[in-house]
Amino acid sequence: MSTDANYGVFYISAGTSFVDQLARGIVGRFGAQAHNLSDIRIFLPTRRACRAFAESFLRVTNGEAALLPNMVPIGDIDEEELSILSGEQRFFFGAEHLPPVMPTMRRQLLLANMIMAKESSISVSHAARLASELSKLLDEVQTERLSFEGLGKIVPERFSVHWQEMLAFLNIVTEHWPEVLQEQGCIDPADRQNRLIEAQILFWENHLPCGPVIVAGTTGTIPATADLITSVAKMKKGVVVLPGLDPTLDNQTITSLAAGHPQYGLVRLLNRLNLQVNEVARWDADEDAQRRAYVINQTMRPTPTLDSQIRPKNSDKLFDNLTKISCSGPQQEALTIAMMLRQVLEETDKTAALITPDRSLARRVAAELKRWKIDIDDSGGTPITQTLPGTFLLLTAEAITSQASPIPLLAALKHPLAAGGLQPSVFRKNVREMELSILRGPRPRAGFTGLHGILRKTTKSAGLISWFEWLSEAAEPLSQLLSMKKVSPEKIIKSHITFAETLASSDSETGPTRLWAGEAGKTAAEIINEIRSAVATLPPISGAEWPALLRVLLSGGVVRAAYGQHPRLHIWGLLEARLQQSDLTILGGLNEGIWPPESINDPWMSRPMRESFGLAPPERRIGLTGHDFVQAVAAPKVVVTRSMRMDGTPTVQARWVTRIETFLSQSEIGQEVLTKWRHEEAKWANWQSELDSRHASVQMRAPEPRPPISARPNRLSVTEIETLIRDPYEIYAKRILGLRAIEPIDADAGAAERGIIIHRAVDRFFRREKDCDRSTALEEFLRIGKEEFERWLDRPGIWAFWWPRFERIANWIIEQEYGQHSGRVNTCTEVSGELLLRGSKRQFKLTARADRIDILADGSYIVIDYKTGALPTKSDVNKGLSPQLILEAMMIMEGAFPDLKPNYIKELSYWKLSGGDPPGYIRAAGDPPAELIKKAMPGLLALLDYYEQPDTPYLARPDVAIAPRYSDYDHLERVQEWRVAGD
C-alpha cells in the first residue's frame, strides 16, 4: 500500500453526497488545474454515476471550465441485471481483442429454442420467460467465476427428485450453450465483463499508469470488481474510496455479520485487501454526517452484539431531522410523498428526491404530481408496455389473434395512435358507428368476414361499409399468419409492423412517423429491430402464441425522458441514489418484501444446491439494499414512508426501521422523537384528506325532475304503465329525455335475445297457413324455430345456449295445444291495440301488444302472456303493481283491439317458458279477472291525472319495496349515492 497520504484506501461516510465529497476530495488532494485532473483515471460503478460525478465537478468548481478526470464505468452488478458497458468498453485496455457481447434478445431466444427442444410441450412465450431466468443464472455463475462443470460435483442423492431433474435440464448451459456461443462468435456479457477487467489488470502489471487511478463508489461484491480494487489498492498512485463503511466495527461484530447485513460486502472486500476496518482512512470531513452515520450503524448491529454497543451522548438528537410516516395504503403514501415534494418547491433552489425500489409507488407519485402540472424526473423510466407505441403493438396483435373479438378489436381501434389514413376524429367516429352497429350485444361470428356480413345487414351507410372493408383488407395478411399452426416468426413480425404502421397512418402523417415518434417511439423501434433480428433463431411457431411472446420480449424495455423533467425533483431507484443526495430525501416503500426485497428462491437451484455450487445466498441482495438504506437514511433531512396495507393485506415494516424505533424507545429523548413522528403522521394525513375533500357538505337526494306538461308523454304502453308505478324516473329518462340503453360489448346471450326468438317462433307457429296434426306439429314448430335461430347465426353463442332449451319448450307447447287447450276456437298472437282515454285532462293513448289471446267456444277470452324470465307475483297483480294483463283485458272490454269484439274475460294467465325442468308451466295471474278489470280504469285515470300536475315529479324508485330489481337507468338515478346518504 502507498504511504503517501493522498493515496490508499478511504471511505466516505453514509449520509453525504458521495460524488460531491469525491470531487471535493480530488480537487483538494490533486489540485483543480486542468493538467492535474486530466491525468486522473477514475472508475465508477455505472454510467449514471459518471454523469452524476461530472455534474458534481461543476458544483465544486463553481461552474468554471475544467478538464474532467477520465471516467470509466465498471458495470458493477449490484442489481438483478448486469449493467452493460456498451460504448464505454473502449476505455478498457484490451477490449478490442475480445469477441462481442451476445445481444440480450438473441441470447434469450436462443436459450428459449434450446428449452423447447428439451421440453416439446412448452409454449414459446413460457420458454422465453424461462430463458430470461436462465440468462440471469448464466450471468450470476460467470460473475462469480464459477464453471457449470461444477454442477457435476453436487451430490444428487442429497436433493429431491425434482432438483435432480432440474440438474439434468441444466445441461442446456453445461453442454450445448458453449457450442452456440462459438457458432455465434460471441460471449456472454458477464464473461466479457470479467475479461475486460482481467485485461485491464494485466495491462497495469506491465504498464504502470503515470497518473492517479481511483476506484470509487463500489462495494466490490463481485470477484472481478474486487480484483480491480485490489490491483488499484496495490498501486503507488492507487486510490480506493468505499461508500458508507462503518469505521466502528469491532472483531466481535465482524464475526457476527451475515450476508443480509449492510456492512457484509465491505467487510469481505477489506478481508480480500488484508485490511482491518480501523486501517481505512476517512476521505470526507463532514462531521455531522459522520455522527449521523455512526448512530445509524449502531442500530444496525447484529443481534449478538447489540448489548455491547455504546450509545453515544445526545445520539437521539441526531434523529431530529428524521421522520417516519405510516400511511393507510399505497395511494395515500403516494399522495403524501407528492405533497412533500411539492412543498419543497416553495423554497428557492431546494431539491428533493424520492428513493424507492417500488416502481408502482414511483408511478403513483409521478401521477399525483400531475395535479400541480409537475413532470418529475423518474430515473426508473416507464416500461415500454405502458407507452403509446408499446400498448398499440400489443393491442393490434391481440385484436387479430382473437379473430376480431369485440373487446380486443375496439381496444386497438380506439387507441390514440389508430387513424387508418383518416383524420383521427373521423376514424373514431367510424369506430363508434361500427361498435353500435355490430359489436354491442352477444359476440358476433369470429373474424372480419363475420363482422362484415353483420354490418351489411345492420347499416345503410356505404361509407362505413367501405371503411370496414379497407380495415379487413389491411388486417388480412396478419390475420392469415396468426391463424396458422406453424409460421415463421420473421414473417409474423414483418406483417405485424406493416399492419400497425398502416393503422397508425393519418391523413397528414405516415404510419411510421406517428408510431415511432418521440422517446417512446424511438425506444420501441430499437426493441422491435432487436426482436426482428433475434426471432430468426426461432423455429416456426403457432400464430396464436405471438401476442404472448411479444409481451415477454417487450417486457424488459424502458423509456426514459431525455428532457422536460423538473430540475429540482427526482425519483431515484436504489442504484441511482447510491452516490447522490438532495436537500430532502424521502425513502418510500419501507416494507418487508419491497425494501428489503424478498429472498426469492432460484427457479433453477434450491438453496442447498446454490451453497454447494458456490453461488451467493439470496440474502446478499438484502445486504446490498440495507447498505443503500443506511446511505440514504443518514442524510441531513429524511422522511421514511410505508403503507400499512397493500391490496387490503396488512404489511410488515422494514426490519431496519424497526431497529431504529427500538433504539429510540430506550430513552426519554427517543420517546419524544417517536411522539413527534406520530404528530407528523397525523398532520400529513389531515392535509391529505383536506386536499380532496369538500368543505361544504353536499346533501345527496334522489332526483326529482318536474318537466313541463307539454313535454310529458301522452302515449304509454301497458308495460310502461307498470314502470310509471315502480320507477317513474325511467319513464322520464326514456320518453322525455329520449335516452336508450345500449347493450354491453361481447355480452352473454341474454334474456332479451331469448325472448325475441321464442316470441317470434311461437307467433309464426300459430299464424301458419296450413293446419298440422299432432304428429307433424312438432316438426313444423322446430322448422320455424330453426329459421328464427338462423337469423342469429352470426351470434353463435345464442344458438349454442338456447336451441336445446327451445326444443324442450316446443315439445311442451305442442302438448298443451293438443291437450287441455283443445277447446279453444281460435288463437290470436301478437295482437296490437290502442285505447283513447277521454277521462284524463289531456287526450291520452294506451297501447298494447298482447302475446296471445285465445277465443273460446262461448266467445269469451283467455289473455296469455309468455314469460321467459321471472313471473310477477299474484299479490303484485292484485294490487295493480303488475297491471299488464289487467290493462290488456280492460282494452278488450273497451274494444281497443280491432279484430276482437268486447266480451267476457274468462282467464288471465302466464305461460312460463324456460326450457328447463320443467320446460314450462301455466299459472293464473291473480284474482278472477272481472274484479281486477273493474278497478283498472279508475286507477289508471287517477295515475295519469297525478302526472298531469306540474308539481308532480318523476321520482327515482319512490317506494323501495316495489322498485324494480334492475333498471338500465340506475346509474342516472344515482341510486347508490342517495341511498347511502339518506334513509
Side-chain angles (χ1 to χ4, degrees):
M1 302 291 176
S2 173
T3 57
D4 191 323
N6 288 337
Y7 302 101
V9 181
F10 302 86
Y11 73 92
I12 293 178
S13 302
T16 64
S17 175
F18 186 94
V19 288
D20 286 347
Q21 291 291 347
L22 181 63
R24 193 173 292 113
I26 288 174
V27 171
R29 284 169 169 80
F30 304 109
Q33 288 78 15
H35 65 278
N36 292 337
L37 293 179
S38 62
D39 287 341
I40 299 173
R41 188 176 180 84
I42 180 167
F43 291 83
L44 293 164
T46 62
R47 292 190 296 272
R48 296 188 191 97
C50 291
R51 289 194 294 268
F53 181 67
E55 292 171 2
S56 71
F57 259 94
L58 290 176
R59 293 190 289 270
V60 171
T61 60
N62 296 320
E64 295 180 3
L67 287 177
L68 297 179
N70 293 304
M71 292 177 287
V72 183
I74 304 172
D76 218 347
I77 199 167
D78 287 352
E79 288 292 309
E80 289 183 349
E81 296 182 3
L82 190 67
S83 176
I84 305 302
L85 294 177
S86 65
E88 282 84 348
Q89 291 175 350
R90 65 182 182 272
F91 292 115
F92 282 83
F93 296 105
E96 66 277 4
H97 303 300
L98 293 177
V101 170
M102 170 73 77
T104 303
M105 198 79 70
R106 177 175 288 270
R107 178 170 72 155
Q108 183 178 2
L109 293 186
L110 282 169
L111 287 170
N113 200 8
M114 296 165 70
I115 291 171
M116 288 188 291
K118 191 82 173 177
E119 185 62 55
S120 58
S121 62
I122 199 170
S123 68
V124 64
S125 59
H126 189 194
R129 281 192 290 270
L130 286 177
S132 177
E133 295 299 324
L134 194 54
S135 298
K136 293 177 183 177
L137 178 63
L138 270 170
D139 287 337
E140 187 175 5
V141 170
Q142 292 171 356
T143 297
E144 296 293 339
R145 290 178 170 171
L146 300 173
S147 171
F148 279 104
E149 295 176 0
L151 288 175
K153 300 177 183 178
I154 300 178
V155 182
E157 291 75 13
R158 290 178 52 198
F159 307 107
S160 67
V161 175
H162 166 71
W163 292 113
Q164 293 178 39
E165 293 173 351
M166 193 62 72
L167 281 174
F169 192 83
L170 285 175
N171 69 11
I172 288 175
V173 292
T174 58
E175 298 178 12
H176 305 299
W177 185 241
E179 298 174 3
V180 173
L181 287 174
Q182 187 175 4
E183 179 183 332
Q184 297 285 324
C186 299
I187 57 177
D188 288 313
D191 185 20
R192 182 177 170 85
Q193 192 84 332
N194 289 340
R195 295 193 196 186
L196 281 171
I197 293 176
E198 289 168 3
Q200 179 69 75
I201 294 172
L202 182 61
F203 181 85
W204 280 336
E205 289 177 356
N206 298 300
H207 304 84
L208 285 175
C210 298
V213 177
I214 302 174
V215 179
T218 177
T219 56
T221 52
I222 61 175
T225 307
D227 285 349
L228 182 71
I229 293 172
T230 303
S231 177
V232 171
K234 292 177 180 178
M235 290 181 186
K236 184 178 180 180
K237 294 184 178 181
V239 179
V240 176
V241 185
L242 302 177
L245 176 68
D246 179 5
T248 66
L249 291 173
D250 53 44
N251 291 333
Q252 182 186 2
T253 303
I254 291 173
T255 305
S256 304
L257 292 181
H261 192 274
Q263 296 292 317
Y264 178 77
L266 289 172
V267 169
R268 284 187 63 194
L269 178 62
L270 291 179
N271 289 338
R272 188 177 184 127
L273 296 175
N274 293 320
L275 283 175
Q276 298 297 319
V277 172
N278 57 11
E279 295 181 278
V280 182
R282 278 184 62 190
W283 177 273
D284 62 308
D286 190 338
E287 295 298 334
D288 290 338
Q290 180 79 0
R291 285 192 294 270
R292 289 194 305 270
Y294 175 74
V295 176
I296 294 295
N297 283 320
Q298 288 292 310
T299 67
M300 301 296 151
R301 287 290 183 97
T303 303
T305 64
L306 282 176
D307 293 338
S308 64
Q309 70 179 359
I310 301 172
R311 191 182 190 96
K313 188 176 181 181
N314 297 325
S315 59
D316 299 306
K317 292 185 177 181
L318 296 173
F319 289 94
D320 286 346
N321 289 329
L322 173 64
T323 303
K324 192 205 83 170
I325 296 177
S326 295
C327 303
S328 57
Q331 188 59 41
Q332 291 72 25
E333 182 181 6
L335 182 53
T336 300
I337 293 171
M339 293 168 64
M340 292 178 182
L341 294 172
R342 175 62 184 86
Q343 188 182 52
V344 167
L345 298 183
E346 297 298 312
E347 300 182 58
T348 306
D349 297 331
K350 292 291 184 181
T351 61
L354 165 65
I355 302 173
T356 180
D358 187 349
R359 298 305 310 147
S360 175
L361 176 62
R363 287 192 290 272
R364 286 177 185 268
V365 171
E368 289 292 347
L369 285 169
K370 296 286 186 183
R371 67 170 72 206
W372 295 293
K373 296 183 172 62
I374 295 173
D375 290 321
I376 194 168
D377 181 13
D378 183 359
S379 62
T382 303
I384 192 67
T385 53
Q386 295 181 16
T387 63
L388 284 179
T391 55
F392 187 65
L393 292 171
L394 291 172
L395 290 174
T396 49
E398 290 167 1
I400 303 301
T401 308
S402 68
Q403 296 184 304
S405 295
I407 292 177
L409 180 62
L410 286 175
L413 297 182
K414 290 188 174 184
H415 191 278
L417 285 177
L422 305 173
Q423 288 184 6
S425 59
V426 174
F427 183 86
R428 285 192 289 270
K429 177 177 176 291
N430 288 339
V431 173
R432 284 194 294 269
E433 289 182 11
M434 179 195 68
E435 174 188 343
L436 294 174
S437 297
I438 61 177
L439 297 182
R440 292 278 172 173
R443 175 177 290 200
R445 185 188 300 174
F448 284 93
T449 303
L451 294 179
H452 185 255
I454 305 176
L455 191 63
R456 294 184 70 88
K457 292 180 185 177
T458 56
T459 184
K460 296 180 181 178
S461 172
L464 184 61
I465 294 173
S466 175
W467 169 81
F468 190 80
E469 288 173 349
W470 170 88
L471 180 64
S472 302
E473 291 174 5
E476 182 61 22
L478 180 59
S479 184
Q480 287 185 359
L481 291 175
L482 296 185
S483 64
M484 296 170 65
K485 295 296 183 183
K486 293 293 181 182
V487 60
S488 166
E490 291 179 280
K491 290 183 179 179
I492 292 178
I493 191 170
K494 182 179 179 182
S495 180
H496 184 190
I497 297 306
T498 300
F499 173 65
E501 290 179 345
T502 301
L503 189 60
S505 63
S506 69
D507 60 329
S508 59
E509 291 181 291
T510 65
T513 301
R514 298 186 75 232
L515 182 56
W516 313 118
E519 290 295 326
K522 179 183 176 182
T523 303
E526 291 171 353
I527 295 173
I528 289 297
N529 285 333
E530 189 177 355
I531 294 175
R532 268 181 165 170
S533 173
V535 293
T537 63
L538 286 177
I541 65 172
S542 169
E545 291 190 67
W546 174 244
L549 175 61
L550 180 63
R551 185 175 292 277
V552 171
L553 297 180
L554 288 177
S555 60
V558 175
V559 179
R560 293 183 173 88
Y563 56 87
Q565 307 304 297
H566 202 283
R568 293 199 281 140
L569 301 181
H570 309 274
I571 297 177
W572 291 330
L574 302 190
L575 187 63
E576 294 84 9
R578 281 174 192 172
L579 308 183
Q580 303 184 76
Q581 197 176 83
S582 58
D583 295 315
L584 171 65
T585 303
I586 303 172
L587 311 186
L590 262 298
N591 283 326
E592 291 289 323
I594 298 177
W595 188 1
E598 289 182 277
S599 297
I600 301 174
N601 290 328
D602 190 332
W604 302 103
M605 292 185 184
S606 65
R607 183 183 291 265
M609 287 173 64
R610 288 178 61 90
E611 182 180 355
S612 180
F613 186 46
L615 290 174
E619 287 78 14
R620 186 182 77 168
R621 182 157 167 73
I622 294 179
L624 291 171
T625 57
H627 184 268
D628 294 331
F629 174 78
V630 173
Q631 285 282 95
V633 81
K637 186 174 183 182
V638 180
V639 178
V640 172
T641 69
R642 61 176 292 261
S643 300
M644 292 186 289
R645 285 183 172 271
M646 190 73 67
D647 298 326
T649 304
T651 58
V652 178
Q653 79 175 1
R655 62 196 70 179
W656 309 307
V657 180
T658 303
R659 280 177 168 270
I660 292 174
E661 287 185 337
T662 303
F663 179 87
L664 289 171
S665 65
Q666 296 171 358
S667 69
E668 290 185 11
I669 298 178
Q671 292 283 359
E672 293 176 5
V673 173
L674 294 175
T675 301
K676 185 199 76 170
W677 287 4
R678 287 189 287 271
H679 290 161
E680 282 290 305
E681 196 172 285
K683 179 188 77 174
W684 286 102
N686 181 55
W687 285 2
Q688 185 185 118
S689 62
E690 288 289 317
L691 188 63
D692 292 322
S693 65
R694 290 178 176 269
H695 294 282
S697 62
V698 178
Q699 187 174 3
M700 300 301 299
R701 293 185 177 181
E704 299 180 1
R706 292 176 173 81
I709 298 300
S710 59
R712 303 190 182 204
N714 59 1
R715 177 189 178 101
L716 292 174
S717 68
V718 292
T719 54
E720 289 175 322
I721 294 298
E722 178 175 351
T723 304
L724 186 63
I725 295 170
R726 294 179 181 270
D727 190 6
Y729 188 90
E730 182 173 331
I731 296 297
Y732 167 76
K734 183 164 63 175
R735 298 300 303 274
I736 299 175
L737 299 183
L739 301 176
R740 294 289 187 275
I742 58 176
E743 293 185 89
I745 300 171
D746 203 3
D748 293 331
E753 293 77 18
R754 174 181 54 179
I756 291 171
I757 294 170
I758 292 175
H759 277 71
R760 285 178 61 90
V762 173
D763 177 45
R764 284 185 58 193
F765 176 73
F766 285 107
R767 287 176 181 268
R768 68 191 186 281
E769 295 180 1
K770 60 178 181 178
D771 290 333
C772 302
D773 56 24
R774 184 166 186 166
S775 61
T776 60
L778 179 60
E779 181 181 343
E780 178 66 12
F781 203 164
L782 292 176
R783 182 191 66 79
I784 293 172
K786 284 183 178 179
E787 290 179 359
E788 289 301 320
F789 271 90
E790 283 175 356
R791 298 170 182 265
W792 299 82
L793 282 177
D794 46 23
R795 312 278 184 174
I798 292 177
W799 185 289
F801 278 105
W802 298 115
W803 175 251
R805 289 178 176 267
F806 178 80
E807 289 182 304
R808 293 191 286 271
I809 290 171
N811 269 291
W812 183 83
I813 289 179
I814 293 301
E815 289 178 5
Q816 302 304 312
E817 291 309 305
Y818 290 91
Q820 61 186 10
H821 286 276
S822 57
R824 62 179 168 76
V825 173
N826 195 11
T827 293
C828 302
T829 60
E830 300 298 328
V831 187
S832 296
E834 293 183 353
L835 178 62
L836 190 64
L837 300 175
R838 302 183 184 279
S840 60
K841 295 183 179 179
R842 281 195 307 164
Q843 202 173 60
F844 191 91
K845 190 173 287 186
L846 181 67
T847 66
R849 186 176 179 86
D851 286 349
R852 173 172 173 171
I853 300 175
D854 282 354
I855 306 173
L856 304 182
D858 61 358
S860 62
Y861 300 105
I862 297 177
V863 184
I864 299 170
D865 189 36
Y866 302 131
K867 291 291 185 184
T868 54
L871 299 183
T873 66
K874 287 186 177 182
S875 174
D876 283 352
V877 173
N878 294 336
K879 292 177 182 178
L881 298 176
S882 297
Q884 177 184 350
L885 282 178
I886 301 173
L887 293 177
E888 288 176 358
M890 183 196 75
M891 292 174 68
I892 294 174
M893 300 291 290
E894 296 289 333
F897 296 95
D899 297 331
L900 298 176
K901 296 180 180 180
N903 208 333
Y904 172 67
I905 308 299
K906 182 179 181 180
E907 185 180 333
L908 304 176
S909 62
Y910 292 112
W911 282 28
K912 171 69 172 178
L913 306 177
S914 67
D917 184 18
Y921 61 86
I922 300 172
R923 200 204 75 192
D927 290 342
E931 184 178 344
L932 297 175
I933 295 171
K934 182 179 179 181
K935 300 177 183 177
M937 183 62 80
L940 177 62
L941 292 175
L943 178 68
L944 297 176
D945 285 344
Y946 176 70
Y947 282 97
E948 290 295 304
Q949 307 297 324
D951 292 335
T952 300
Y954 286 83
L955 296 174
R957 300 171 175 251
D959 187 345
V960 69
I962 64 172
R965 285 177 291 180
Y966 171 78
S967 171
D968 288 328
Y969 300 90
D970 280 352
H971 60 297
L972 295 180
E973 297 174 1
R974 312 189 91 163
V975 174
Q976 297 299 326
E977 296 179 22
W978 55 262
R979 268 192 180 175
V980 172
D983 58 18

